[in-house]
């Protein structure tokens, strides 16, 4: 050690002062601010989850009333979706990494970027207001007619989500323009890192779909406040129409959640296999393919809503197409691993967990897309297990991989690799204990959003709750070693992993203007067969190493 | 990309006047059409005229015709997505009664939907007997 030290001139330290942070236009600082915010809400949402699971340990009410339970799962869902997972990878990691990866000094609209963070904070406070002023018990989906008749704080909650939508749109808009306009000379579309492709596809969905959510929630608010009747059959409206509106956004939104996760995985798998990624174009285009198909399948959430049989059949049919681009990605990642020189660092462990868990989540999604199967499984724990496998097993694993991968770049320090691996294994085991048991519960008929349940479900529920505690314990370790790293982690050096990509050519943490001198593109992002790399960790630790 | 994509295009005043006149004429047509009854096609006729007017405004007053074609693509793309939304939603709303005609009928205000059932909640009664013995499984190992 000692060979490398943290550079004095870096974006965390310059310019100085609280005001310089609050008014910053530096994408890296905004990324860090987003990162702090989403981790906070992940913590809150996770705490709610563990409380829910503790309540579900026994089949009778142990310390919560049914009403409290309804509020808790709604809050857990709404916080996890709107305040955590949607902004997580694009706004936190993407903000930090994207300009670095394309060799730019910043995003295209730095002020808009800062505005998006403040809008996020305002939206979060409005949601908070909803929680303290009566709570919400509709589920994160706000379905009519219940949401228009309940007396809980649906209006302020939806208003909060409406505001949050703008922060998401601003980020998406910013990324699209940044990717079109600010790439370093010579970086053609097909020489961009796959992370950038993933963020691009995500941004398109954010810009196209989020306004629909905004309108939907406005309509809901109008319906509740002045009774315009659009969702009320007594006035010629249609409550199922709400579900159409809602899922026209929210199905694409699940790809806002998973596409950036896939983007991170493409990076991790290629870099930790030290191999040219297999099927670059296939992966890039499948991101766009997913983005497009995602707009055509929303009705698979409505198979038992009373929509017409014809619509149900068409939506079921279309849903199967989503399997194609997702499958293309998974197979290309596997081919990249094949004969790669794989290095099992923590980010790679998370990438492999992702492969395993996302595949389960995706395949069970195909089950659910099959109309006759879904009629039985919908609104059971099978669905709960499915979407946790995708969102937590998929996106959160990718996010964790990304956090570990770019952490040294963000803060200039390494974390403890041993404890990181321990935590990864505990999280993986805990996750499967918690949610695999729920697949079985669901097929046996355990309905979702229930507070008490029949005796025969008790053993599996108890097992799942123990899994949640294991999972929580894993995250506790994560928190401890990351805080330790922030304070006294070993300085990372420019390129601790020995990988390609612009972000590893500058110092860690980078200077405020990203690169000391303008970066020059000399090779593609995955050209491991032709480029010799200087590894800062080997330079510091081992006399000779593998390049 | 066309040559004038990046430069500011200035239209001669008579183009504006022509488009303006066209819009006024089409407004008159709208009024005239409203006096006739085309039955089912009323909405379609009105929408066609409105669409032509909106396109004129977008193409000339808002310069979409002379700007970088990317903007046109974005604009048309948004319309396409709107079309997807409306068409797929109507696939539902227009075909609700296909299998069970009763689904389209009015709600019977006097129908008995839920029969009140008395469920024993004292932890000892009927619910517990629901074959709990036969389905006790140990957690996945
Ligand atoms: C610590 C791990 C987690 C545990 C133990 C957990 C547990 C739960 C539980 C018990 C429910 C209520 C199920 C029901 O009664 O229907 C639930 C619902 C839900 N969870 Fe999680 N969860 C976790 C992580 C996550 C994450 C990371 C996300 C998304 C990013 C998420 C999203 C949701 C959503 C959207 C719902 C549905 C809420 C609703 O029904 O309205 N969860 N979760
Ligand atoms: Cu969906």
């Amino acid at each position: 050690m000692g060979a490398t030290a943290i550079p004095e001139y870096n974006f965390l330290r310059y310019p100085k002062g609280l005001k310089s942070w609050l008014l910053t236009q530096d994408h890296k600082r905004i990324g860090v601010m987003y990162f702090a915010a989403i981790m906070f809400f992940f913590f809150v949402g996770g705490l709610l989850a563990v409380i829910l699971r503790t309540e579900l340990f026994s089949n009778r009410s142990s310390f919560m009333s049914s009403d409290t339970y309804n509020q808790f799962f709604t809050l857990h869902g709404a916080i996890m979706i709107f305040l955590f997972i949607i902004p997580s990878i694009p706004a936190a990691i993407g903000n930090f990494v994207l300009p670095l990866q394309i060799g730019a000094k910043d995003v295209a609209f730095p002020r808009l970027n800062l505005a998006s963070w403040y809008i996020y904070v305002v939206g979060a406070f409005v949601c908070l207001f909803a929680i303290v002023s009566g709570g919400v018990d509709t589920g994160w989906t706000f379905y009519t007619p219940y949401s228009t008749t309940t007396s809980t704080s649906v209006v302020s909650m939806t208003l909060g989500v409406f505001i949050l939508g703008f922060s998401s749109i601003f980020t998406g808009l910013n990324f699209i323009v940044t990717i079109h306009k600010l790439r370093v000379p010579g970086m053609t579309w097909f020489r961009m890192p796959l992370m950038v492709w993933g963020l691009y596809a995500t941004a398109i969905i954010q810009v196209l779909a989020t306004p629909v959510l905004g309108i939907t929630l406005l309509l809901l608010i109008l319906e509740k406040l002045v009774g315009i009747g659009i969702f009320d059959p007594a006035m010629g409206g249609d409550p199922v129409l709400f579900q159409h509106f809602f899922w026209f956004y929210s199905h694409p939104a699940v790809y806002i959640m998973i596409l950036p996760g896939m983007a991170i995985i493409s990076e991790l798998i290629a870099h930790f296999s030290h191999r040219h990624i297999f099927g670059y174009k296939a992966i890039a285009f499948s991101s766009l393919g997913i983005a497009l198909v995602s707009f055509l399948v929303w009705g698979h959430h409505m198979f038992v809503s009373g929509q017409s049989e014809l619509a149900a059949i068409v939506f079921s049919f279309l849903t199967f197409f989503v399997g194609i681009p997702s499958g293309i990605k998974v197979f290309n990642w596997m081919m990249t691993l094949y004969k790669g020189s794989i290095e099992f660092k923590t980010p790679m462990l998370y990438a492999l967990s992702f492969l395993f868990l996302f595949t389960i989540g995706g395949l069970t999604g195909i089950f659910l897309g099959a109309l006759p199967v879904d009629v039985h499984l919908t609104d059971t724990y099978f669905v709960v297990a499915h979407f946790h496998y995708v969102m937590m097993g998929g996106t959160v694993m990718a996010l964790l991989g990304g956090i570990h991968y770019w952490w040294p770049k963000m803060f200039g320090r390494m974390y403890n690799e041993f404890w990181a691996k321990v935590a990864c294994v505990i999280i993986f085991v805990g996750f499967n204990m918690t949610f695999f048991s729920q697949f079985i519960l669901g097929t046996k008929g355990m309905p979702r959003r229930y507070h008490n349940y029949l005796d025969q479900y008790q053993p599996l529920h108890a097992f799942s709750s123990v899994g949640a505690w294991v999972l929580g314990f894993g995250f506790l370790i994560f928190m401890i070693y990351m805080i330790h790293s922030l304070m006294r982690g070993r300085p990372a050096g420019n390129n601790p992993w020995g990988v390609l990509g612009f972000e590893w050519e500058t110092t860690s943490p980078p200077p405020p203007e990203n690169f000391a001198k303008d970066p020059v593109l000399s090779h593609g992002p995955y050209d491991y067969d032709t480029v010799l790399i200087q590894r800062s960790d080997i330079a510091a630790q081992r006399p000779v190493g593998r390049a | 990309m066309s040559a004038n994509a990046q430069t500011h295009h200035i239209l001669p005043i008579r183009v504006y006047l022509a488009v303006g006149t066209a819009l006024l004429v089409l407004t008159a047509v709208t009024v005239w059409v409203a006096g006739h009854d085309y039955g089912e096609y009323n909405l379609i006729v009105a929408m066609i005229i409105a669409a032509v007017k909106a396109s004129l405004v977008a193409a000339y007053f808002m310069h979409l015709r002379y700007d970088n074609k990317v903007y046109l693509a974005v604009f048309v793309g948004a319309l396409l997505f709107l079309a997807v939304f409306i068409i797929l939603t109507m696939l539902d709303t227009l075909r609700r009664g296909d299998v069970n005609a009763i689904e389209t009928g009015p709600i019977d205000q006097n129908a008995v939907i839920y029969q009140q059932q008395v469920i024993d909640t004292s932890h000892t009664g009927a619910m517990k007997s629901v074959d709990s013995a036969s389905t006790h499984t140990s957690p996945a190992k």
Side-chain angles (χ1 to χ4, degrees):
Chain A
M1 284 176 246
T4 46
I6 294 188
E8 202 34 47
Y9 181 59
N10 71 52
F11 82 96
L12 292 171
R13 294 195 193 152
Y14 288 93
K16 285 194 192 303
L18 182 66
K19 198 173 147 214
S20 77
W21 274 87
L22 292 179
L23 296 179
T24 185
Q25 292 175 27
D26 183 339
H27 68 99
K28 300 184 290 304
R29 285 191 164 186
I30 297 172
V32 170
M33 279 151 67
Y34 257 121
F35 182 64
I38 61 146
M39 287 320 269
F40 171 74
F41 283 111
F42 186 50
F43 182 76
V44 176
L47 213 58
L48 287 167
V50 173
I51 296 173
L52 284 168
R53 274 304 341 156
T54 306
E55 165 64 37
L56 288 169
F57 186 87
S58 114
N59 54 343
R60 310 281 175 218
S61 194
S62 22
F63 55 88
M64 257 187 212
S65 68
S66 303
D67 280 339
T68 320
Y69 182 84
N70 290 351
Q71 296 208 355
F72 266 56
F73 80 67
T74 303
L75 286 186
H76 163 70
I79 287 179
M80 284 298 194
I81 298 282
F82 297 116
L83 286 166
F84 165 63
I85 203 168
I86 289 187
S88 65
I89 297 179
I93 307 277
N95 241 328
F96 181 83
V97 172
L98 172 68
L100 288 173
Q101 281 199 321
I102 59 176
K105 283 200 170 62
D106 208 317
V107 291
F109 306 119
R111 281 165 203 272
L112 190 69
N113 204 13
L114 183 64
S116 102
W117 189 79
Y118 277 105
I119 291 173
Y120 171 86
V121 173
V122 171
F125 272 105
V126 176
C127 290
L128 199 71
F129 172 76
I131 295 168
V132 294
S133 69
V136 189
D137 61 353
T138 58
W140 75 282
T141 45
F142 310 116
Y143 274 10
T144 52
Y146 182 65
S147 59
T148 46
T149 44
T150 172
S151 61
T152 51
S153 308
V154 174
V155 171
S156 31
M157 193 66 170
T158 43
L159 190 67
V161 173
F162 177 77
I163 295 171
L164 288 172
F166 282 92
S167 113
S168 184
I169 295 173
F170 285 1
T171 303
L173 206 63
N174 219 337
F175 283 7
I176 291 181
V177 180
T178 305
I179 294 170
H180 272 274
K181 292 292 183 191
L182 296 187
R183 279 171 289 139
V184 75
M187 184 181 278
T188 58
W189 283 89
F190 294 116
R191 294 182 86 182
M192 299 191 310
L194 283 168
M195 177 80 185
V196 180
W197 273 103
L199 288 173
Y200 186 72
T202 310
I204 290 179
I205 308 183
Q206 284 177 302
V207 171
L208 270 175
T210 316
V212 182
L213 177 74
I215 294 293
T216 311
L217 297 177
L218 270 192
L219 286 173
L220 186 66
I221 292 174
L222 286 177
E223 177 92 19
K224 230 178 136 63
L225 292 184
V226 295
I228 52 171
I230 180 168
F231 303 129
D232 181 1
M235 297 170 74
D238 182 353
V240 178
L241 194 60
F242 177 83
Q243 296 187 29
H244 280 296
F245 271 109
F246 182 82
W247 288 111
F248 185 76
Y249 162 76
S250 285
H251 184 81
V254 307
Y255 295 100
I256 297 181
M257 304 170 202
I258 196 70
L259 275 172
M262 293 169 155
I264 290 183
I265 297 303
S266 304
E267 295 285 299
L268 296 183
I269 289 200
H271 293 315
F272 286 95
S273 306
H274 296 279
R275 195 162 176 270
H276 202 288
I277 186 118
F278 187 89
Y280 175 96
K281 284 195 181 176
I283 295 182
F285 283 124
S286 61
S287 292
L288 294 183
I290 288 179
L292 276 184
V293 178
S294 75
F295 280 95
L296 307 177
V297 300
W298 76 85
H300 60 213
H301 297 275
M302 303 169 54
F303 287 154
V304 300
S305 68
Q307 75 175 342
S308 78
E309 290 75 12
L310 179 70
I313 291 168
V314 170
F315 278 124
S316 178
F317 178 76
L318 290 172
T319 296
F320 289 105
F321 284 98
V322 181
I324 299 173
S326 311
I328 289 177
K329 280 185 192 287
V330 171
F331 286 121
N332 279 300
W333 291 326
M334 307 253 273
M335 281 308 292
T336 307
L337 291 172
Y338 179 65
K339 286 191 175 166
S341 75
I342 299 173
E343 206 175 357
F344 291 103
K345 296 279 190 186
T346 311
M348 187 59 161
L349 291 188
Y350 280 110
L352 296 176
S353 310
F354 174 100
L355 272 191
F356 190 73
L357 303 176
F358 171 74
T359 306
I360 296 181
L363 284 178
T364 50
I366 300 280
F367 300 2
L368 293 170
L371 177 50
V373 179
D374 183 75
V375 169
H376 285 276
L377 291 179
T378 192
D379 277 330
T380 70
Y381 261 71
F382 193 90
V383 175
V384 178
H386 154 70
F387 70 69
H388 280 97
Y389 263 81
V390 177
M391 292 194 286
M392 178 131 196
T395 309
V396 174
M397 291 296 153
L399 173 70
L400 287 171
I403 290 174
H404 286 85
Y405 180 59
W406 283 296
W407 184 270
K409 187 52 66 182
M410 239 186 215
F411 300 107
R413 293 177 186 278
M414 299 304 288
Y415 45 82
N416 184 307
E417 182 73 20
F418 172 76
W419 284 108
K421 280 182 177 155
V422 171
C424 177
V425 171
I426 295 179
I427 288 174
F428 182 81
V429 172
F431 173 83
N432 282 293
M433 285 173 69
T434 314
F435 293 109
F436 200 84
S437 41
Q438 298 183 0
F439 280 125
I440 307 171
L441 277 172
T443 49
K444 285 178 184 290
M446 170 71 211
R448 115 186 231 212
R449 292 181 175 173
Y450 273 46
H451 169 224
N452 295 338
Y453 47 85
L454 300 180
D455 287 356
Q456 62 264 37
Y457 300 127
Q458 217 271 325
L460 280 169
H461 262 302
F463 186 78
S464 173
S465 295
V466 174
W469 298 334
V470 174
L471 193 52
F473 182 64
F475 276 107
L476 204 67
I477 301 180
F478 166 78
M479 223 162 75
I480 293 172
Y481 71 76
M482 280 312 201
I483 290 175
H484 177 266
S485 155
L486 273 186
M487 295 189 306
R488 46 188 59 183
R490 174 167 61 79
N494 291 4
N495 190 354
W497 310 117
V499 291
L500 293 171
F502 271 139
E503 74 263 39
W504 304 107
E505 290 179 13
T506 184
T507 48
S508 321
E513 60 280 347
N514 287 354
F515 299 95
K517 47 183 191 300
D518 284 342
V520 179
L521 188 79
S522 55
H523 51 74
Y526 308 109
D527 289 345
Y528 285 99
D529 38 358
T530 51
V531 183
L532 181 73
I533 305 150
Q534 285 246 311
R535 296 185 64 142
S536 51
D537 64 333
I538 290 177
Q541 286 176 347
R542 283 179 261 163
V544 234
R546 175 167 53 86
Chain B
M1 222 176 277
S2 63
N4 59 12
Q6 307 299 339
T7 56
H8 213 84
H9 194 89
I10 296 169
L11 287 177
I13 193 91
R14 69 192 150 69
V15 176
Y16 285 113
L17 289 176
V19 173
T21 318
L23 288 175
L24 285 176
V25 171
L26 283 169
T27 307
V29 173
T30 312
V31 175
W32 177 74
V33 159
H36 297 65
D37 189 10
Y38 302 100
E40 279 195 343
Y41 297 99
N42 273 338
L43 185 67
I44 294 177
V45 172
M47 286 303 280
I48 288 178
I49 300 173
V52 172
K53 286 169 72 178
S55 314
L56 283 176
V57 172
Y60 293 96
F61 288 176
M62 299 171 79
H63 276 229
L64 212 48
R65 211 186 135 183
Y66 306 100
D67 263 325
N68 193 327
K69 291 288 172 266
V70 169
Y71 302 118
L72 186 66
V74 169
F75 184 72
V76 174
L79 289 181
L80 279 179
F81 275 92
L82 184 65
V84 164
F85 179 59
I86 291 177
I87 290 172
L88 284 176
T89 300
M90 279 167 71
L91 212 58
D92 166 25
T93 50
L94 293 182
R95 305 294 292 268
R96 288 259 172 92
D98 282 5
V99 174
N100 295 313
I102 195 173
E103 286 176 7
T104 50
I107 296 170
D108 178 358
Q109 297 291 345
N110 302 317
V112 181
I113 303 174
Y114 292 109
Q115 205 91 49
Q116 278 286 314
Q117 280 178 353
V118 183
I119 296 174
D120 182 357
T121 50
S122 67
H123 300 199
T124 53
M127 278 183 72
K128 201 163 189 181
S129 70
V130 183
D131 68 13
S132 59
S134 59
T135 46
H136 258 300
T137 45
S138 54
K141 288 216 177 89

